[in-house]
Amino acid sequence: MNEPKAVPISVQINSPTAPARRRLLTQMIKRVGSNKRSMIGLWIVTLFILIAILAPWISPYNPLEQNMDKLLQSPSLNHPFGTDEYGRDILSRIFYGARISLMVGIVGVIISVFFGVAFGTIAGYFGGKTESLIMRITDIFMAFPGFLLALAIVSVLGPGMMNLMIAIGIFSIPSFTWISRSAVLSIKSKEYIEASRSMGSKHSRIIFKHIIPNSIAPIIVLSTLRIATAILSASGLSFLGMGAQPPSPEWGTMLSTGREFLRTAPHISIVPGVAIMLVVLGFNMLGDGLRDALDPKMKL
């Protein structure tokens, strides 16, 4: 009798499959939906995003149009938030200012995510002297307070929206570098990473197919929280005259010009101040909810 031939059995250990990731995404959405705090934050953020998108259609006036017959008017039916020192409608300027603030925050965080994740992934994956060099440079940047670092960068580059976004992006890179490196260090020792290496996969394939997709959760949470920090920092820099320049309807610039009229027309400063507070609060509440939803220790 002929003995049956042995059939080779190959076992491949892969990262979480697409159905598993969909299940995790569904659970995350349910957790976010069941968290009242995160839902309030989501509604606030969504409202300001819609305002920014629809600003040209919902603004009752041109935000740059001056009317010397309506200087420093208090809130009324024609001007719900009043007018400023040049007779410009504050409501319209708030609507258009949402575009500027959200753009600065989102673009600045995109810059931070791109470079921070790149540096953190390289440091965590390759280790050795490369890791030491990247992390020591990161430590130097983290030794400076974020706002002061952004102020120094804008002082060197000069005031302006583009330089403001670059400064906001640079001062947030160290945070993303650290969080990305920590996530990579916990993932690169997993079985599916070792299996991928043993099968001869290139470093680039391992990084882009396994490392980054499975370390994205903390990056999402930090990004949401950092948008709030970026908007607050951008408003502070504009308040100091280092960001958006008049007559741009940026909220920090509106605060700066309105401080001269706090006694006679306090609404000029109160309205943009409340707008900054609400959008920052919304992103912070949403970030806290996402952190709870993406925490594997949390149960539905």
Side-chain angles (χ1 to χ4, degrees):
M1 290 182 62
N2 294 329
E3 294 183 0
K5 295 182 179 179
V7 179
I9 300 175
S10 62
V11 179
Q12 184 175 354
I13 303 176
N14 271 323
S15 57
T17 59
R21 288 176 180 168
R22 283 196 294 268
R23 286 195 299 270
L24 291 174
L25 179 61
T26 302
Q27 291 179 0
M28 182 197 73
I29 294 174
K30 289 181 179 179
R31 289 172 183 168
V32 172
S34 62
N35 190 316
K36 293 182 180 179
R37 182 178 56 196
S38 63
M39 289 306 297
I40 293 173
L42 180 61
W43 280 111
I44 294 174
V45 170
T46 303
L47 174 63
F48 276 96
I49 291 175
L50 289 176
I51 288 174
I53 294 173
L54 301 176
W57 295 276
I58 63 177
S59 296
Y61 301 94
N62 185 330
L64 303 179
E65 182 181 356
Q66 300 181 10
N67 191 336
M68 296 305 172
D69 296 330
K70 298 181 178 181
L71 303 182
L72 302 176
Q73 286 191 354
S74 299
S76 61
L77 291 178
N78 292 330
H79 301 280
F81 289 165
T83 61
D84 63 7
E85 69 276 16
Y86 294 107
R88 296 172 298 198
D89 182 62
I90 294 179
L91 177 62
S92 301
R93 291 177 65 78
I94 289 293
F95 286 167
Y96 275 87
R99 285 185 154 192
I100 299 174
S101 295
L102 289 175
M103 181 180 67
V104 170
I106 293 173
V107 172
V109 169
I110 288 174
I111 295 172
S112 305
V113 170
F114 180 81
F115 289 100
V117 171
F119 294 150
T121 302
I122 292 172
Y125 183 78
F126 292 103
K129 294 182 179 180
T130 302
E131 180 184 19
S132 298
L133 177 62
I134 292 175
M135 300 316 297
R136 296 301 74 78
I137 295 175
T138 302
D139 290 339
I140 293 173
F141 276 94
M142 292 193 74
F144 295 94
F147 184 80
L148 292 181
L149 179 60
L151 180 60
I153 295 170
V154 173
S155 299
V156 173
L157 298 178
M161 288 299 301
M162 183 60 66
N163 294 337
L164 180 62
M165 288 186 284
I166 293 173
I168 295 297
I170 291 176
F171 96 82
S172 297
I173 289 176
S175 300
F176 285 98
T177 301
W178 269 105
I179 198 73
S180 179
R181 171 182 171 271
S182 300
V184 171
L185 288 176
S186 64
I187 292 172
K188 74 173 187 178
S189 59
K190 299 291 185 181
E191 291 83 357
Y192 57 85
I193 300 297
E194 297 296 333
S196 185
R197 283 199 191 108
S198 65
M199 290 186 292
S201 297
K202 296 181 178 180
H203 293 308
S204 58
R205 176 179 173 82
I206 296 174
I207 290 173
F208 288 105
K209 186 176 180 181
H210 301 298
I211 297 290
I212 293 180
N214 289 292
S215 63
I216 201 67
I219 303 299
I220 293 174
V221 175
L222 182 60
S223 298
T224 307
L225 296 172
R226 272 289 162 177
I227 290 176
T229 304
I231 291 173
L232 195 60
S233 299
S235 299
L237 291 171
S238 295
F239 180 85
L240 297 175
M242 302 302 294
Q245 301 298 304
S248 174
E250 202 275 334
W251 294 340
T253 304
M254 294 172 65
L255 270 175
S256 180
T257 57
R259 62 183 171 175
E260 300 177 5
F261 307 96
L262 284 176
R263 293 182 180 272
T264 57
H267 60 277
I268 299 179
S269 295
I270 291 175
V271 174
V274 171
I276 294 171
M277 181 198 71
L278 286 176
V279 73
V280 170
L281 177 65
F283 276 107
N284 280 332
M285 294 176 72
L286 179 59
D288 287 339
L290 287 175
R291 180 178 57 194
D292 295 341
L294 294 173
D295 188 351
K297 297 179 181 179
M298 295 292 292
K299 292 184 179 180
L300 184 61

